[in-house]
Amino acid sequence: MRLLLFILLLVALQTALMDVHLPQDVQLLNTYLEERRDLVILGNSTSLPVPDDEDLTTLGEHLQTFLPGRRVGELVRPGTNPLLADAYADYLARISPESSGRPLIVIPVNLYAFSPYWDRMPSRQFLWLRYPLHFHGTWRWPFYAPALAFEYLNMNPISYADAMASPVREADSVVGTLSEILNRQKDPATTDPARVQVALYFMERITKEHRQLQAIVSTARRLNTAGYPHLFYIPPVNVDSGAAHAGPILRSRVRENAALVRAELEREGSRVLDLSSLLGADSFSAKVAIGEHCYSAGRRIVASRIADAVEADGFEK
């Protein structure tokens, strides 16, 4: 009886103070919606300056300069993935048009997010953010805090051991587990660390069954159903530097994976920009892992392509 009363008390407190438990990312999104921003970009670390950048302008700030007639809002969560984008879409779909103004939602689909390293690591599941996005505004939200307190919610569905046992593929052949590959990367005397890194991030062949692809397709469906205009873009990959270590197979893998992502989203009626091969090696920092982090000049080019698509497609302000 006491336990039941305690749970009911927690539920009552959660109901009264529900917004207290909304992560800052969600509170910032709510601010943009209240301000009737015309465009909101759900960015990640590829939107930010690299360590040796002379210009600290973010992708969203560049985009604002190209779209002076629109008010741009930028969310940045390093390491974000399609599962998190789907949670945002679920949250947005429950907000009335009168409350949100239905801004244009711009979403990067980073190819690294499909790799075993980024897909499987426990720290990249973002359940602390996904649960509130999925639960808020539903019957489940008042029970969120009690469920956390009594550890009824599994915040680590993928254990570190399971993640480390995940297979890593290169050219469709398993070259080791994630643990084995990471250990090889630590021994530059016998292994090319850059090649290992490319295998970790970009050599996985994406299939239609991949959970991250299914999540980004779900994102498109939610936004379409809720009436949100949206634009997906596949950020540039440093294929020039990567191919120098991994060979031409990297170019074909990036091209094939990007084509599949684009085809699946276009099947849902969504607009997709494939910028995966847009930039050369000089646009990327050598101080960051071979991947998708570019200098400000590169971010500016990406922003200009997004702005061109926004204007050309006639997305309403």
Side-chain angles (χ1 to χ4, degrees):
M1 185 63 180
R2 289 182 177 178
L3 178 60
L4 177 60
L5 291 174
F6 181 58
I7 293 176
L8 291 175
L9 177 61
L10 286 175
V11 170
L13 288 173
Q14 169 72 358
T15 303
L17 303 173
M18 56 175 59
D19 285 332
V20 171
H21 298 285
L22 282 176
Q24 289 185 348
D25 303 56
V26 186
Q27 293 181 37
L28 180 57
L29 173 61
N30 287 340
T31 298
Y32 290 150
L33 297 179
E34 292 169 1
E35 293 175 348
R36 290 295 197 274
R37 296 291 179 105
D38 302 299
L39 182 156
V40 176
I41 180 169
L42 305 181
N44 52 45
S45 60
T46 60
S47 303
L48 300 175
V50 292
D52 53 340
D53 225 325
E54 295 182 358
D55 182 355
L56 302 184
T57 307
T58 68
L59 177 65
E61 291 167 343
H62 279 307
L63 187 58
Q64 182 66 82
T65 64
F66 286 111
L67 297 171
R70 300 173 188 257
R71 293 190 302 162
V72 175
E74 183 177 32
L75 294 177
V76 177
R77 172 55 54 185
T80 190
N81 56 35
L83 288 169
L84 184 53
D86 186 45
Y88 271 115
D90 188 21
Y91 179 81
L92 288 166
R94 293 193 302 275
I95 300 176
S96 67
E98 294 76 18
S99 299
S100 70
R102 290 294 189 269
L104 168 64
I105 307 298
V106 178
I107 304 173
V109 186
N110 299 77
L111 295 181
Y112 72 72
F114 298 83
S115 70
Y117 181 80
W118 290 97
D119 176 44
R120 300 282 296 170
M121 289 298 288
S123 61
R124 300 302 178 185
Q125 303 310 306
F126 296 110
L127 288 177
W128 61 271
L129 181 52
R130 285 163 53 198
Y131 277 143
L133 286 167
H134 282 304
F135 292 173
H136 192 267
T138 73
W139 64 268
R140 296 173 292 182
W141 181 242
F143 299 91
Y144 178 58
L148 286 179
F150 287 96
E151 299 183 351
Y152 288 138
L153 287 176
N154 183 5
M155 303 302 286
N156 294 292
I158 302 176
S159 70
Y160 184 77
D162 287 343
M164 288 296 102
S166 301
V168 176
R169 295 176 176 83
E170 183 175 349
D172 298 323
S173 298
V174 176
V175 294
T177 65
L178 186 54
S179 176
E180 292 169 344
I181 299 302
L182 289 172
N183 286 331
R184 291 178 200 170
Q185 193 176 25
K186 297 176 183 177
D187 186 10
T190 59
T191 306
D192 179 359
R195 176 167 184 154
V196 173
Q197 179 189 305
V198 170
L200 280 176
Y201 292 175
F202 299 109
M203 295 300 285
E204 181 87 359
R205 183 190 293 276
I206 301 175
T207 66
K208 292 183 179 181
E209 293 73 31
H210 198 296
R211 69 173 188 148
Q212 297 289 354
L213 184 58
Q214 292 179 348
I216 205 63
V217 169
S218 174
T219 301
R221 290 173 180 168
R222 293 185 197 274
L223 293 175
N224 280 325
T225 300
Y228 278 91
H230 56 279
L231 173 67
F232 294 98
Y233 74 95
I234 303 173
V237 177
N238 189 356
V239 290
D240 288 346
S241 296
H245 295 273
I249 184 64
L250 174 65
R251 295 184 186 280
S252 60
R253 178 67 72 244
V254 168
R255 183 170 57 249
E256 291 167 4
N257 285 343
L260 176 62
V261 170
R262 179 175 181 176
E264 291 300 297
L265 288 172
E266 289 181 340
R267 186 172 288 112
E268 300 299 323
S270 298
R271 176 81 160 92
V272 187
L273 292 179
D274 179 6
L275 309 179
S276 58
S277 300
L278 176 66
L279 303 176
D282 58 349
S283 293
F284 298 87
S285 171
K287 294 186 178 295
V288 181
I290 294 177
E292 299 163 307
H293 296 82
C294 53
Y295 288 117
S296 180
R299 294 193 299 278
R300 182 176 175 82
I301 293 173
V302 172
S304 70
R305 294 298 183 93
I306 295 173
D308 289 344
V310 170
E311 298 287 19
D313 285 3
F315 289 111
E316 294 183 4
K317 288 196 275 186

